[in-house]
Amino acid sequence: MIPIKIELENFFSYRQRTVLDFHGIHLACVAGPNGSGKSSLLDAITWVLFGRCRTRSDDNVVNKTAAALGKAAGVSLIFELGGVIYRVDRKKRAGKPMVLDFLVAAAGEGEWKSMAEGKLRATQGAIEQLLKMNYETFTNASFFLQDKADTFTTNSATHRKEILADLLGLDIWDSYKEKVRAKRREEEDQLLLIDSRLKDINLELAQEPIRKSALSAAIEELNAASEKLELQEQILRERRRVEKLIEGQKQHIDALDENIASFNESLLYLEGIKEERYLERVSFQRLLDDSESINAKYKAWKTASNEVQKWQKKSEQHSSIIERLRPVEIEFEREEARLTQRHTELERQANRVSELKNEQQAISANLEQARLKSDRIKKDLTELKDVEIQWKEGDAKLREMTSTRASIEKEVEFLNKEKKRFDDLIQEKLTVQNELNQASSEVDKAILDLKSIESFQVSLTFIKSEKESKLAEQKRLRKEMSDIEDAVKTLSESLSEVCPLCGQALSEEHRQKVLEKLHQDGKKLGDQYRENKDVISMKEQEARKLSADVKEKSRIEEELLNFQRRTASAQSRLEHIDKSIGQWHSVGAIRLQELEKTLEAEDYVNLKTTVSRLANKLVKKKDLEDERTKVNNEMLLKENRLAMIEEMVAEWQIADPVMSPSQEFEELAGKLERGEFAQEARAQIDLLNAEVEKIGYDQELHEIALGQLDSLSEAPERFQSLSTAETAVKHLDDNLADISGQIRSTREKKSQLSEQLAQAEKSLRTLSDDTKDLSVLESELQKRRDAQISAHRKVAMAQQNVDVLRDLKIKKDQVWGGREEKALLIQRINMLETAFGRAGVQSLLIERALPEIESDANLLLDRLTDGEMQVRFETQRKLKSSDRSVETLDIHISDTAGQRPYENYSGGEQFRINFAIRLALSKILTRRAGARLQTLVIDEGFGSQDPLGRQRLIEAINSIQDDFERILIITHIDELRDAFPTQIRVSKNTAGSTIVVV
């Protein structure tokens, strides 16, 4: 995957739309202060491709300011893969679902064709399928993310193997294993069904005597149920005739109850109306009794109302004059405040001008001294200019020679170590060849042992099946022998003249004949039972012997896998050794001779001495330049201050067309002191105050009159109610007399209906005496019908149970043959599942790749540590509790002090280890089919390194830059920027982060 262009908006600190075009960028440094947004640029790449980055919540990627405004974060990435251009767009609004689009470049320029699926998860799967990696694989192989550079190294052995399997494209074997596992589970489920079916058949066949006896009992039960049903139907018909008579009488009683209830409601209604009319009569009479007081209060209310109207008129006149007076007062106060404020401002200006004149004299004297000092410094700097030119030329040449010589010395030292290492490889080759021969022989032997165990497993399956069949037969034989014993006991003890077994006449001759037959059958069954017992015992012995042999299968399979891994590892190591030795003789040895000759001809001591002498002379230049800048800044500030003072003094003294500020200040002071302003407003105020006094309005007396009127507010309404009461009393008296007559008539009619109801209820009780409830009879009838139906079902079921046994005997033979074939198939599928698993073919492929990864990592680590450190991968580890070995993927790290745990190395050493391993993983991916990583990113990896470590990392990056199309190095260390041909500078201001490519 090669990034071409990325666009960001409202993503972390990138608020405005920001575009980074990668055209022309091969090796670049992403530089900027901490917190400027460097790492956010990489988060944008992983987020747009996989929907994941360093934050846990998707809402956190949205810029906080943009989220508050309801805006969405968006990232668009255009990249190339396999010669095809793709684009991924991802957007997220806080609190809303994520939006994802996946496109491919169409034929027309600037045209895109969508490849998005119906759902976001399906589209994400399409992107990962195209890239042939997920987020974890991508970041483990291509991204050295901040605080995650050690993800592969510090993970558990199991997780490391999973990551490596994903990188090598071994997930296809997982899919094979899943398919085989699904097939095995399907077959096992079918085998369980077959075993269950056989068990059910055997149990069902043993029920034959019981089922025949159940059929006879069911027929007898059906006959008895039919007789009881017929009798119950006759009883129910008679009861229903009586029920019709009772129902008619009940309807008559219900009609009488309804009429009586209607009369009760009428009585309640009339009584209520009568009560309401009586209460109205009482309330009106109370008003008539209080008529004298009501008339007196009404007369007082009219007097108070007239008094309030008089004061209201005066209040309106008074308010009108006050409204005319207030604007005049406001105008007078405003003019007085304006003159006072202007006087204060002019007084403050006068004091300031006096202070500025004193400051002007002092600044002029200091400015002249600064000018003399600046001229002297300028003269000294001119004399050092020629010395600086000579130093720059010599220093540039010296640095070039130093860098070239250091690179050659390091390369020579590295090649000498390589020479020694390849000499050791020749000796190692003999050891590995011997190990390969031994492991191959062990593999052949283990395969033969497994084939023998497979035949044992088949035999064991057959033996177990025969044993289960014999055990089922033993159960049947025990049951039949028990039945014969019971029959013998019953026949021997019977005193009846009828045989209890067959129903014939029971003579002594018949008794002896039947007993003899039963004894013969019992002996035959007993012989068969004992014979089966011996067979079962023999099968158990054979099964124990075969089980002991089969138990060795897992151990032999484990040994086979170990020998196969050793064989694959040895073959891979031999291939790698031969390849490495050939490369050394064709390239490394020749290069070593050339570099040693070059070092003998180099000499730069004289140049170094000259540059040092010139540098000593230039030590004073920096101090002089700083001092000159300081003096010039002081002069500029003083000159600006003098100009400002002169301008302010001139403004105070220069007069406008009327008067100067100083003259205006003196004139205003006199006016305010004498009160010579707003004369017209003063006169209007005096005139309006005189009119207010003439009206004579008293607010307190006005409020007293209002209070008296308010206390008599109910008088008009009560006076009107008194007039209404005098008219209503006579009408209410007539209405009460009429309602009383209606109540007497209704009570008489109700009494007549109650007598009729009592007579009807007496007749109903006569019909209902000694009559059984109809629902009880119907329930009993239904029970009889249910009993008959149940008896029919029992007869049918019992007959079916007897008929089905015949077919089951044929079915049993067919099912048993299918079971033997199924058991053999499952054994073969189990072998395939083990081979496709992580401990099978995948483990072998990983072990073949590990020597290549280990070699690439050590080559790079040798450069980074000057040959002091090495890593080694171990895939087998012996258990402390036994001699068995277990699968693992351990990383062993050693230096000049020996082997130490990863945690015991310094931060800088740990980063070099991680860097070497991760680059080795990336390299093997570029050499293998499947995912192809063409972009390498290192985020803040140099901070843990000392100067020498940083230089070695830069050299290592330069040495592998041809393996990648894009390499981005993120750092905040300023001195590292010039080490890379391109710089992507990231900065941050109030508007957010921005990007500039230089």
Side-chain angles (χ1 to χ4, degrees), residues 461-478:
T461 302
F462 287 131
I463 289 172
K464 288 182 178 179
S465 299
E466 291 175 359
K467 177 187 171 184
E468 291 174 0
S469 177
K470 290 295 182 182
L471 288 172
E473 187 177 356
Q474 290 292 82
K475 185 176 181 182
R476 178 181 61 80
L477 291 173
R478 282 196 301 271

Side-chain angles (χ1 to χ4, degrees), residues 236-250:
L236 182 61
R237 283 194 293 270
E238 178 62 24
R239 179 65 184 87
R240 283 175 176 168
R241 187 186 65 79
V242 177
E243 184 68 21
K244 289 182 179 180
L245 295 175
I246 294 174
E247 185 64 27
Q249 192 64 24
K250 285 182 177 179

Side-chain angles (χ1 to χ4, degrees), residues 369-383 624 627 631:
Q369 294 178 0
R371 285 173 180 159
L372 294 174
K373 186 175 182 180
S374 176
D375 293 340
R376 184 176 67 256
I377 294 171
K378 184 177 180 181
K379 180 180 178 182
D380 294 341
L381 287 172
T382 302
E383 294 175 355
L624 289 173
E627 187 176 3
V631 171

Side-chain angles (χ1 to χ4, degrees), residues 652-665:
W652 173 257
Q653 294 175 346
I654 295 176
D656 61 11
V658 180
M659 66 180 67
S660 68
S662 59
Q663 294 172 339
E664 183 184 1
F665 173 66

Side-chain angles (χ1 to χ4, degrees), residues 57-100:
S57 172
D58 289 332
D59 286 346
N60 292 340
V61 305
V62 186
N63 180 271
K64 299 303 181 184
T65 303
L69 298 175
K71 296 182 179 180
V75 179
S76 177
L77 175 66
I78 299 176
F79 63 90
E80 176 190 346
L81 184 63
V84 181
I85 305 299
Y86 299 92
R87 191 180 91 202
V88 179
D89 299 331
R90 194 182 294 267
K91 293 183 179 180
K92 181 71 174 71
R93 196 183 304 275
K96 301 293 182 182
M98 191 180 297
V99 179
L100 175 63

Side-chain angles (χ1 to χ4, degrees), residues 736-901:
L736 284 170
D738 182 55
I739 291 172
S740 297
Q742 292 180 28
I743 290 174
R744 286 193 299 273
S745 176
T746 302
R747 285 176 178 170
E748 291 174 358
K749 293 178 181 178
K750 174 186 172 185
S751 177
Q752 295 172 2
L753 290 176
S754 297
E755 292 177 0
Q756 294 177 15
L757 176 62
Q759 186 63 34
E761 288 177 343
K762 182 178 179 182
S763 299
L764 177 61
R765 285 194 295 272
T766 302
L767 289 172
S768 300
D769 287 345
D770 300 327
T771 302
K772 195 169 184 180
D773 189 4
L774 181 62
S775 61
V776 174
L777 294 176
E778 290 176 341
S779 177
E780 290 177 357
L781 177 64
Q782 186 60 43
K783 289 180 180 178
R784 297 289 183 268
R785 287 175 179 167
D786 292 343
Q788 186 190 44
I789 293 171
S790 177
H792 274 296
R793 289 176 179 168
K794 287 181 179 178
V795 170
M797 187 178 298
Q799 186 62 54
Q800 183 181 2
N801 289 338
V802 171
D803 294 341
V804 79
L805 295 177
R806 181 176 60 257
D807 298 332
L808 281 177
K809 293 175 182 178
I810 300 173
K811 186 66 176 177
K812 177 181 178 181
D813 296 335
Q814 297 174 349
V815 173
W816 181 255
R819 187 194 185 284
E820 294 175 347
E821 296 178 1
K822 191 68 66 179
L824 183 59
L825 176 61
I826 290 173
Q827 291 177 5
R828 294 172 178 170
I829 292 175
N830 274 326
M831 294 180 63
L832 279 177
E833 185 177 353
T834 303
F836 292 158
R838 294 278 179 174
V841 176
Q842 296 188 51
S843 180
L844 293 176
L845 293 175
I846 288 175
E847 291 195 3
R848 288 181 64 87
L850 282 175
E852 190 175 352
I853 297 172
E854 181 180 305
S855 177
D856 288 339
N858 282 324
L859 285 174
L860 185 59
L861 196 59
D862 195 72
R863 297 182 195 173
L864 295 175
T865 63
D866 202 16
E868 294 182 355
M869 298 180 70
Q870 271 196 336
V871 297
R872 180 172 59 84
F873 296 104
E874 184 178 83
T875 59
Q876 296 288 316
R877 181 174 67 244
K878 284 192 175 181
L879 294 174
K880 296 181 179 179
S881 58
S882 66
D883 294 335
R884 290 178 61 247
S885 297
V886 294
E887 292 287 332
T888 186
L889 182 51
D890 294 332
I891 302 176
H892 298 289
I893 308 166
S894 58
D895 57 8
T896 54
Q899 183 173 307
R900 287 183 288 156

